Amino acid sequence: MCGIVGGIAERNVTPILMEGLRRLEYRGYDSSGIALLSSEQKIERVRSLGKIKQLENKIQVLEQPFTGQVGIAHTRWATHGIPAEHNAHPHICNQRVAVVHNGIIENYQSLKHQQLANGYRFTSETDTEVVAHAIYQQMYGGPESYNKQSDLLPAVMEAIKTFEGAYALGVVANDDAETLIAARKGSPLVIGIGIGEHFIASDVSALLPVTQNFIFLEDGDVAVLTRESVTIYNVETGEQVERPVKESSLNITSVELGEHRHYMHKEIFEQPQAVIDTLEGRLTQDQVLVSSFGPLAESIFASINRIHIIACGTSYHAGMVAKYWAEDIIGMPCQVEVASEFRYRNPVVENNTLIVTISQSGETADTLAALHQIKSLRRAASNNLQRRESDTPTFVNGAFSKSDELNIPTLSICNVAESSLTREAELVFLTHAGPEIGVASTKAFTTQLVALALMLTSIGKVQNRLASGREQLIANGLQKLPSLIQQALLHEAEIQQIAEAFADKQHALFLGRGTMYPIALEGALKLKEISYIHAEAYPAGELKHGPLALIDENMPVIAIAPLDDLLEKLKSNLQEVKARGGQMIVFEDERSDLSSETSFKVVKATTNVGRITAPITYNILLQLLSYHVALIKGTDVDQPRNLAKSVTVE
C-alpha cells in the first residue's frame, strides 16, 4: 500500500525523492508529501491531496527553492483518517522530528490518550502522529521542552518498543541533521546503497535510478543511515546486526511503460516471456525438475498426503484452480482458503499436510500472518507431542496427529526474492514474472498457475501418482504455453469491439465449470477492479439456484466454454440465459459450435489446450476484456480507486 522513500546525500535529494514517489504510485495512494532538512537545518514540508503531479505543482510555486540533502517522502493510502492534506505524511512534531510510516499502530488510541494528557497537540486523525510524538518525547522529554536529552537513534529505539502492530518508518530530526533512521516491523523496507549517499524505500523499484545494491531489512531492525555508512541494530537486544548487500536484477527499463498506454496492458503482453522465465531451468522436454523447489523438496513432497493452500485475492483464485488439478491429476486432497479467514479461526491442520502460501509481493499481511500461525501451531503441537505417549492421538490448537513427528511443511510461491514470505517457509518457489506495476494482477497470476502446475506434477512424480505418460504430457503443454498465450493475445482487436457493449452497463455475470469456475471468478474480479462494474461469478450449474433471477436484456453474461467433457452441460446453461433475454459473450474453443448461435457474441479461443494450459489461456482473454472495458469506462486502469497493489495491513 503506502510508499516510503528517503535519502541522505551530498546532493539535493528532492528530485530523487520525487522520482521515487512516482515509481511507487502503483502501490495505491490518495495523498503525498515530502519533508527536507534545509541548509539552515529546518524541517520544510509540502503535502498535497491527489496525484504526485499536484505535489510537484505546489513545490514549483514556492517562493524559495525546495532543496535539502536529507529528506523523507510518502504516498498515503488512507486507513486512519480520511484522505486529506492534514492527514498526509510526513508528520512533524514541534518542527523538530518528522516521520513517514507504512503499516498500522494498533494501540495508537491508548498512546494518543497518554500523549494528549501530557500536553501534545494533534493536527491529524492518523495513527502515525503518535509515532512522531513518541520519538519527540524520547528526544526532548515533553511537548514543551526544546532541550535535547537523547540522540535520534536511541529515541527511535525506545519509542518503537511501545508500538503494537506493523510499521516501516523513516525518521529525520533537525537536531541530528546528519542522520536518517529507518525501522521495520511487518511492513517492507529496503536500504539503497550508494557512494557518499544512502536511501530507503518501500521497494527497490523506487531507487533503481540511483542504485542497484540493496539491504533488505528484517523485522526488528533499526538502521542508522549517514552519507558514509549504514549501521543496523536489533531493537530488542540493542546489538548491532549484519545484513547482506544484494544486487538487484531489475533495471530502470523493466519498470517503464515503453510503447504501452498502461502498465496493465504492458504486463498482459509480457506474459509469454514471464512464463518462459518461470519455466527456465525447471523442466526438460519430458519431465519437471523436483529440485527446482529446493534441496528438501523431494523428501518433503514424499512425506505429505494432502495440501492446504492459503492466499488472498487473485492468488486465492490461482489456488482454487490448483485444487481441481490436485484432485484430477494426482488424486490428492487439496483445501484452499482465504488468508484473512484462516488466521482468525481455530483451523484443523492434519499431520502430513503441505501448507502452500501464495503472494505476488510476499508482503501480504494476512498471508504472512497465516504462515506465522501455522508455524506457531506447529511448535505448540510439537511441544505437546514430546509430553505424551507415542500411540495416543493428540489435538492441540487445531493440530491433529497420531505421529511422534509432526509433519506440516511450508512452501511459499512468490514473485519477490527478498520478501518476508520467502524468508519464512521451508520451500520457496520464485515466479519470475518480473516487476508488476499495475494494481490488477495479470502476469503474476499466470506464473503462479505455472508454479502450482509444476508443484503438483512434482508431488505426483515423487509419490508415483501420475498416470503413465502424464508427466511428459504436462511438460510438453507447459513448453507450448508461451505460444498459446501469444495466440490468445491476437484476439485483442476482436475483444476490443466486444468491450463496447459494456459502455452503459453496471453489472455483469461470469459463468464457468470445473477449472473455468475460478477463472470466471478471476475475470469478474478484474472487471470489478479496473472498470468499477459490479461483476459476479458462479459455477454454471448454479444458475437455477438463484443467479438466473438476475438475467435480463441489461445483464451481460460472459461464459468460458472450452472443449471438454463439461461442454454439453454448459450449453444447456447458456440456453437458459438465452431464453431470458440475456446478452451472451462466449469464449469457446475453435473446434466448438457455439458460434452457430447468432444471438451469442463468440470469441474463438486457441485450440490444442489441455487441463493445465486451458485455464491459463482463457484467462488471457478475460484480462483483455476487462482492460478494454475499463478504457471505455474511462477509469484509472493502473491505479483504480480505493485499491493498493500490496496489502501490507489488515
Side-chain angles (χ1 to χ4, degrees), residues 507-511 534-538 543 547-548 550-551 555-559 577:
H507 307 278
L509 194 64
F510 287 72
L511 300 176
H534 170 238
E536 295 188 57
Y538 289 94
L543 268 177
L548 204 57
L550 298 171
I551 303 300
M555 175 68 79
V557 179
I558 299 96
V577 174

PDB file of all heavy atoms in Angstrom, residues 507-511 534-538 543 547-548 550-551 555-559 577:
ATOM      1  N   HIS A 507     -23.456  -3.948 -14.462  1.00  0.00           N
ATOM      2  CA  HIS A 507     -23.426  -5.284 -13.866  1.00  0.00           C
ATOM      3  C   HIS A 507     -22.985  -6.291 -14.919  1.00  0.00           C
ATOM      4  O   HIS A 507     -23.181  -6.078 -16.114  1.00  0.00           O
ATOM      5  CB  HIS A 507     -24.805  -5.681 -13.328  1.00  0.00           C
ATOM      6  CG  HIS A 507     -25.406  -4.683 -12.405  1.00  0.00           C
ATOM      7  ND1 HIS A 507     -25.090  -4.614 -11.074  1.00  0.00           N
ATOM      8  CD2 HIS A 507     -26.295  -3.688 -12.638  1.00  0.00           C
ATOM      9  CE1 HIS A 507     -25.771  -3.620 -10.511  1.00  0.00           C
ATOM     10  NE2 HIS A 507     -26.506  -3.042 -11.447  1.00  0.00           N
ATOM     11  N   ALA A 508     -22.413  -7.396 -14.473  1.00  0.00           N
ATOM     12  CA  ALA A 508     -22.031  -8.479 -15.379  1.00  0.00           C
ATOM     13  C   ALA A 508     -21.980  -9.783 -14.589  1.00  0.00           C
ATOM     14  O   ALA A 508     -21.732  -9.787 -13.372  1.00  0.00           O
ATOM     15  CB  ALA A 508     -20.684  -8.198 -16.033  1.00  0.00           C
ATOM     16  N   LEU A 509     -22.199 -10.881 -15.321  1.00  0.00           N
ATOM     17  CA  LEU A 509     -22.206 -12.209 -14.707  1.00  0.00           C
ATOM     18  C   LEU A 509     -21.236 -13.097 -15.470  1.00  0.00           C
ATOM     19  O   LEU A 509     -21.253 -13.125 -16.711  1.00  0.00           O
ATOM     20  CB  LEU A 509     -23.616 -12.802 -14.771  1.00  0.00           C
ATOM     21  CG  LEU A 509     -23.921 -14.021 -13.903  1.00  0.00           C
ATOM     22  CD1 LEU A 509     -23.816 -13.680 -12.430  1.00  0.00           C
ATOM     23  CD2 LEU A 509     -25.328 -14.546 -14.220  1.00  0.00           C
ATOM     24  N   PHE A 510     -20.370 -13.801 -14.752  1.00  0.00           N
ATOM     25  CA  PHE A 510     -19.412 -14.719 -15.362  1.00  0.00           C
ATOM     26  C   PHE A 510     -19.785 -16.149 -14.984  1.00  0.00           C
ATOM     27  O   PHE A 510     -20.139 -16.424 -13.820  1.00  0.00           O
ATOM     28  CB  PHE A 510     -17.993 -14.429 -14.866  1.00  0.00           C
ATOM     29  CG  PHE A 510     -17.383 -13.175 -15.433  1.00  0.00           C
ATOM     30  CD1 PHE A 510     -17.824 -11.918 -15.040  1.00  0.00           C
ATOM     31  CD2 PHE A 510     -16.353 -13.249 -16.363  1.00  0.00           C
ATOM     32  CE1 PHE A 510     -17.260 -10.762 -15.548  1.00  0.00           C
ATOM     33  CE2 PHE A 510     -15.770 -12.096 -16.880  1.00  0.00           C
ATOM     34  CZ  PHE A 510     -16.226 -10.848 -16.477  1.00  0.00           C
ATOM     35  N   LEU A 511     -19.679 -17.071 -15.958  1.00  0.00           N
ATOM     36  CA  LEU A 511     -20.017 -18.474 -15.730  1.00  0.00           C
ATOM     37  C   LEU A 511     -18.875 -19.369 -16.180  1.00  0.00           C
ATOM     38  O   LEU A 511     -18.226 -19.112 -17.206  1.00  0.00           O
ATOM     39  CB  LEU A 511     -21.280 -18.862 -16.508  1.00  0.00           C
ATOM     40  CG  LEU A 511     -22.569 -18.103 -16.199  1.00  0.00           C
ATOM     41  CD1 LEU A 511     -23.679 -18.567 -17.133  1.00  0.00           C
ATOM     42  CD2 LEU A 511     -22.975 -18.275 -14.744  1.00  0.00           C
ATOM     43  N   HIS A 534     -20.067  -3.791 -11.286  1.00  0.00           N
ATOM     44  CA  HIS A 534     -20.385  -4.865 -10.353  1.00  0.00           C
ATOM     45  C   HIS A 534     -20.447  -6.185 -11.113  1.00  0.00           C
ATOM     46  O   HIS A 534     -21.270  -6.370 -12.012  1.00  0.00           O
ATOM     47  CB  HIS A 534     -21.732  -4.605  -9.672  1.00  0.00           C
ATOM     48  CG  HIS A 534     -22.227  -5.779  -8.898  1.00  0.00           C
ATOM     49  ND1 HIS A 534     -23.441  -6.372  -9.151  1.00  0.00           N
ATOM     50  CD2 HIS A 534     -21.656  -6.487  -7.894  1.00  0.00           C
ATOM     51  CE1 HIS A 534     -23.616  -7.390  -8.324  1.00  0.00           C
ATOM     52  NE2 HIS A 534     -22.541  -7.470  -7.558  1.00  0.00           N
ATOM     53  N   ALA A 535     -19.560  -7.099 -10.794  1.00  0.00           N
ATOM     54  CA  ALA A 535     -19.480  -8.375 -11.503  1.00  0.00           C
ATOM     55  C   ALA A 535     -19.438  -9.518 -10.504  1.00  0.00           C
ATOM     56  O   ALA A 535     -18.792  -9.425  -9.455  1.00  0.00           O
ATOM     57  CB  ALA A 535     -18.246  -8.409 -12.398  1.00  0.00           C
ATOM     58  N   GLU A 536     -20.118 -10.588 -10.830  1.00  0.00           N
ATOM     59  CA  GLU A 536     -20.122 -11.798 -10.012  1.00  0.00           C
ATOM     60  C   GLU A 536     -19.818 -12.993 -10.888  1.00  0.00           C
ATOM     61  O   GLU A 536     -20.039 -12.964 -12.100  1.00  0.00           O
ATOM     62  CB  GLU A 536     -21.477 -11.991  -9.331  1.00  0.00           C
ATOM     63  CG  GLU A 536     -21.839 -10.919  -8.322  1.00  0.00           C
ATOM     64  CD  GLU A 536     -23.105 -11.279  -7.561  1.00  0.00           C
ATOM     65  OE1 GLU A 536     -23.124 -12.353  -6.932  1.00  0.00           O
ATOM     66  OE2 GLU A 536     -24.068 -10.499  -7.619  1.00  0.00           O
ATOM     67  N   ALA A 537     -19.343 -14.054 -10.276  1.00  0.00           N
ATOM     68  CA  ALA A 537     -19.064 -15.296 -10.996  1.00  0.00           C
ATOM     69  C   ALA A 537     -19.701 -16.466 -10.266  1.00  0.00           C
ATOM     70  O   ALA A 537     -19.731 -16.497  -9.025  1.00  0.00           O
ATOM     71  CB  ALA A 537     -17.561 -15.515 -11.126  1.00  0.00           C
ATOM     72  N   TYR A 538     -20.209 -17.421 -11.042  1.00  0.00           N
ATOM     73  CA  TYR A 538     -20.862 -18.600 -10.475  1.00  0.00           C
ATOM     74  C   TYR A 538     -20.454 -19.832 -11.268  1.00  0.00           C
ATOM     75  O   TYR A 538     -20.175 -19.743 -12.475  1.00  0.00           O
ATOM     76  CB  TYR A 538     -22.385 -18.466 -10.550  1.00  0.00           C
ATOM     77  CG  TYR A 538     -22.973 -17.454  -9.607  1.00  0.00           C
ATOM     78  CD1 TYR A 538     -23.208 -16.152 -10.036  1.00  0.00           C
ATOM     79  CD2 TYR A 538     -23.303 -17.789  -8.295  1.00  0.00           C
ATOM     80  CE1 TYR A 538     -23.747 -15.205  -9.183  1.00  0.00           C
ATOM     81  CE2 TYR A 538     -23.843 -16.856  -7.435  1.00  0.00           C
ATOM     82  CZ  TYR A 538     -24.063 -15.564  -7.884  1.00  0.00           C
ATOM     83  OH  TYR A 538     -24.591 -14.626  -7.037  1.00  0.00           O
ATOM     84  N   LEU A 543     -26.882 -21.709 -11.845  1.00  0.00           N
ATOM     85  CA  LEU A 543     -27.796 -20.703 -12.371  1.00  0.00           C
ATOM     86  C   LEU A 543     -29.204 -20.842 -11.798  1.00  0.00           C
ATOM     87  O   LEU A 543     -29.834 -19.857 -11.413  1.00  0.00           O
ATOM     88  CB  LEU A 543     -27.857 -20.807 -13.902  1.00  0.00           C
ATOM     89  CG  LEU A 543     -26.896 -19.935 -14.708  1.00  0.00           C
ATOM     90  CD1 LEU A 543     -27.047 -20.228 -16.187  1.00  0.00           C
ATOM     91  CD2 LEU A 543     -27.116 -18.464 -14.425  1.00  0.00           C
ATOM     92  N   PRO A 547     -28.957 -17.193  -9.283  1.00  0.00           N
ATOM     93  CA  PRO A 547     -28.467 -16.160 -10.209  1.00  0.00           C
ATOM     94  C   PRO A 547     -29.362 -15.937 -11.430  1.00  0.00           C
ATOM     95  O   PRO A 547     -29.339 -14.855 -12.018  1.00  0.00           O
ATOM     96  CB  PRO A 547     -27.095 -16.695 -10.630  1.00  0.00           C
ATOM     97  CG  PRO A 547     -26.669 -17.566  -9.507  1.00  0.00           C
ATOM     98  CD  PRO A 547     -27.920 -18.193  -8.981  1.00  0.00           C
ATOM     99  N   LEU A 548     -30.145 -16.955 -11.831  1.00  0.00           N
ATOM    100  CA  LEU A 548     -31.000 -16.806 -13.000  1.00  0.00           C
ATOM    101  C   LEU A 548     -31.990 -15.655 -12.831  1.00  0.00           C
ATOM    102  O   LEU A 548     -32.446 -15.066 -13.823  1.00  0.00           O
ATOM    103  CB  LEU A 548     -31.753 -18.118 -13.262  1.00  0.00           C
ATOM    104  CG  LEU A 548     -32.236 -18.375 -14.698  1.00  0.00           C
ATOM    105  CD1 LEU A 548     -31.086 -18.334 -15.685  1.00  0.00           C
ATOM    106  CD2 LEU A 548     -32.959 -19.715 -14.773  1.00  0.00           C
ATOM    107  N   LEU A 550     -31.301 -12.779 -11.960  1.00  0.00           N
ATOM    108  CA  LEU A 550     -30.658 -11.528 -12.367  1.00  0.00           C
ATOM    109  C   LEU A 550     -30.677 -11.318 -13.875  1.00  0.00           C
ATOM    110  O   LEU A 550     -30.384 -10.216 -14.346  1.00  0.00           O
ATOM    111  CB  LEU A 550     -29.199 -11.522 -11.892  1.00  0.00           C
ATOM    112  CG  LEU A 550     -28.954 -11.588 -10.377  1.00  0.00           C
ATOM    113  CD1 LEU A 550     -27.467 -11.787 -10.107  1.00  0.00           C
ATOM    114  CD2 LEU A 550     -29.468 -10.338  -9.689  1.00  0.00           C
ATOM    115  N   ILE A 551     -30.998 -12.351 -14.640  1.00  0.00           N
ATOM    116  CA  ILE A 551     -30.825 -12.296 -16.085  1.00  0.00           C
ATOM    117  C   ILE A 551     -31.940 -11.484 -16.743  1.00  0.00           C
ATOM    118  O   ILE A 551     -33.128 -11.756 -16.560  1.00  0.00           O
ATOM    119  CB  ILE A 551     -30.794 -13.715 -16.695  1.00  0.00           C
ATOM    120  CG1 ILE A 551     -29.683 -14.553 -16.044  1.00  0.00           C
ATOM    121  CG2 ILE A 551     -30.610 -13.637 -18.202  1.00  0.00           C
ATOM    122  CD1 ILE A 551     -28.305 -13.995 -16.222  1.00  0.00           C
ATOM    123  N   MET A 555     -28.202  -7.443 -18.661  1.00  0.00           N
ATOM    124  CA  MET A 555     -27.173  -8.182 -17.923  1.00  0.00           C
ATOM    125  C   MET A 555     -26.273  -8.955 -18.886  1.00  0.00           C
ATOM    126  O   MET A 555     -26.659 -10.009 -19.399  1.00  0.00           O
ATOM    127  CB  MET A 555     -27.808  -9.154 -16.931  1.00  0.00           C
ATOM    128  CG  MET A 555     -26.810 -10.053 -16.214  1.00  0.00           C
ATOM    129  SD  MET A 555     -25.722  -9.182 -15.070  1.00  0.00           S
ATOM    130  CE  MET A 555     -26.839  -8.985 -13.679  1.00  0.00           C
ATOM    131  N   PRO A 556     -25.046  -8.466 -19.164  1.00  0.00           N
ATOM    132  CA  PRO A 556     -24.105  -9.260 -19.963  1.00  0.00           C
ATOM    133  C   PRO A 556     -23.690 -10.509 -19.194  1.00  0.00           C
ATOM    134  O   PRO A 556     -23.405 -10.444 -17.988  1.00  0.00           O
ATOM    135  CB  PRO A 556     -22.914  -8.323 -20.164  1.00  0.00           C
ATOM    136  CG  PRO A 556     -23.380  -6.969 -19.752  1.00  0.00           C
ATOM    137  CD  PRO A 556     -24.479  -7.175 -18.767  1.00  0.00           C
ATOM    138  N   VAL A 557     -23.665 -11.621 -19.872  1.00  0.00           N
ATOM    139  CA  VAL A 557     -23.245 -12.885 -19.275  1.00  0.00           C
ATOM    140  C   VAL A 557     -22.044 -13.396 -20.051  1.00  0.00           C
ATOM    141  O   VAL A 557     -22.131 -13.629 -21.266  1.00  0.00           O
ATOM    142  CB  VAL A 557     -24.374 -13.926 -19.288  1.00  0.00           C
ATOM    143  CG1 VAL A 557     -23.893 -15.241 -18.687  1.00  0.00           C
ATOM    144  CG2 VAL A 557     -25.587 -13.402 -18.532  1.00  0.00           C
ATOM    145  N   ILE A 558     -20.921 -13.550 -19.368  1.00  0.00           N
ATOM    146  CA  ILE A 558     -19.685 -13.994 -20.002  1.00  0.00           C
ATOM    147  C   ILE A 558     -19.458 -15.444 -19.616  1.00  0.00           C
ATOM    148  O   ILE A 558     -19.354 -15.776 -18.421  1.00  0.00           O
ATOM    149  CB  ILE A 558     -18.480 -13.134 -19.558  1.00  0.00           C
ATOM    150  CG1 ILE A 558     -18.705 -11.672 -19.955  1.00  0.00           C
ATOM    151  CG2 ILE A 558     -17.191 -13.656 -20.168  1.00  0.00           C
ATOM    152  CD1 ILE A 558     -19.277 -10.809 -18.848  1.00  0.00           C
ATOM    153  N   ALA A 559     -19.393 -16.317 -20.597  1.00  0.00           N
ATOM    154  CA  ALA A 559     -19.223 -17.746 -20.342  1.00  0.00           C
ATOM    155  C   ALA A 559     -17.911 -18.233 -20.927  1.00  0.00           C
ATOM    156  O   ALA A 559     -17.500 -17.796 -22.013  1.00  0.00           O
ATOM    157  CB  ALA A 559     -20.381 -18.532 -20.936  1.00  0.00           C
ATOM    158  N   VAL A 577     -29.958 -18.914 -20.242  1.00  0.00           N
ATOM    159  CA  VAL A 577     -29.709 -17.476 -20.286  1.00  0.00           C
ATOM    160  C   VAL A 577     -30.353 -16.859 -21.525  1.00  0.00           C
ATOM    161  O   VAL A 577     -31.014 -15.817 -21.463  1.00  0.00           O
ATOM    162  CB  VAL A 577     -28.193 -17.189 -20.272  1.00  0.00           C
ATOM    163  CG1 VAL A 577     -27.924 -15.702 -20.458  1.00  0.00           C
ATOM    164  CG2 VAL A 577     -27.568 -17.672 -18.963  1.00  0.00           C
TER     165      VAL A 577
END
